[in-house]
Amino acid sequence: MPLNPESPLARLMATLPRAGAVEWIGVRPAREVPMVAAERVQAKAGAGLTGDRYQGGSGKRGLTLIQAEHLPVIAALAGLEAVSAATLRRNVVVSGIALIALKQRRFCIGDVVLEGTDPCDPCSRMETALGAGGYNAMRGHGGLCARIIQGGTFAVGDAVVPL
């Protein structure tokens, strides 16, 4: 059930202190192959990111995002010194903005308009990638899935701006 946009809770949820920034971009060319880092990527409405295995049917998951601030938390919970964005298999790492605040909201990166759809829950592959307990280390820190509303390009360093 949607919130009344005039309610105090809706007003709080709509308030973000600043824009975020893209720190890293990666695509998954195929299942179970390493991520390929990119400085710039093309996003196609209804088709995902060019070069990504999900390209061709975005639905609710045209791309996945994760917060840079959560990478050290995931590493600590998994008992690791560090964890790379590529290991977690998310497409975009952002900093400076609470991704969960973008759920059910539109936002832009570069000239791409996105809509946050659902939390990006970890998959069972995280047990292999991070070791025993890796799945649970990511729970609550897996990021956000987003639908591509308007295609275009974005790059590392671009702002993540709520609309």
Side-chain angles (χ1 to χ4, degrees):
M1 182 166 133
L3 284 176
N4 172 350
E6 301 303 317
S7 74
L9 180 58
R11 285 195 303 274
L12 284 173
M13 291 175 67
T15 304
L16 295 164
R18 64 179 180 265
V22 174
E23 301 290 331
W24 184 86
I25 301 169
V27 293
R28 304 165 292 237
R31 186 173 171 83
E32 298 188 26
V33 301
M35 297 282 290
V36 175
E39 287 296 312
R40 174 175 297 281
V41 70
Q42 181 177 16
K44 295 181 182 178
L49 299 178
T50 299
D52 194 73
R53 79 182 190 96
Y54 285 107
Q55 194 233 350
S58 80
K60 287 185 168 187
R61 191 180 173 137
L63 62 91
T64 57
L65 304 100
I66 193 164
Q67 286 184 235
E69 294 85 354
H70 286 188
L71 298 180
V73 173
I74 293 166
L77 293 172
L80 303 170
E81 283 188 36
V83 65
S84 73
T87 300
L88 303 179
R89 305 192 62 78
R90 299 300 188 258
N91 296 117
V92 183
V93 177
V94 303
S95 64
I97 192 166
L99 282 176
I100 196 65
L102 300 176
K103 182 180 175 203
Q104 307 305 321
R105 288 190 62 172
R106 289 192 177 185
F107 58 101
C108 66
I109 304 175
D111 58 3
V112 177
V113 177
L114 302 160
E115 181 178 57
T117 56
D118 294 307
C120 192
D121 296 323
C123 69
S124 61
R125 291 193 62 215
M126 291 302 105
E127 285 293 297
T128 302
L130 301 173
Y135 175 86
N136 279 321
M138 279 195 69
R139 287 178 67 195
H141 305 290
L144 184 70
C145 297
R147 171 184 296 123
I148 302 167
I149 302 297
Q150 175 185 306
T153 59
F154 64 88
V156 172
D158 281 353
V160 179
V161 181
L163 299 177

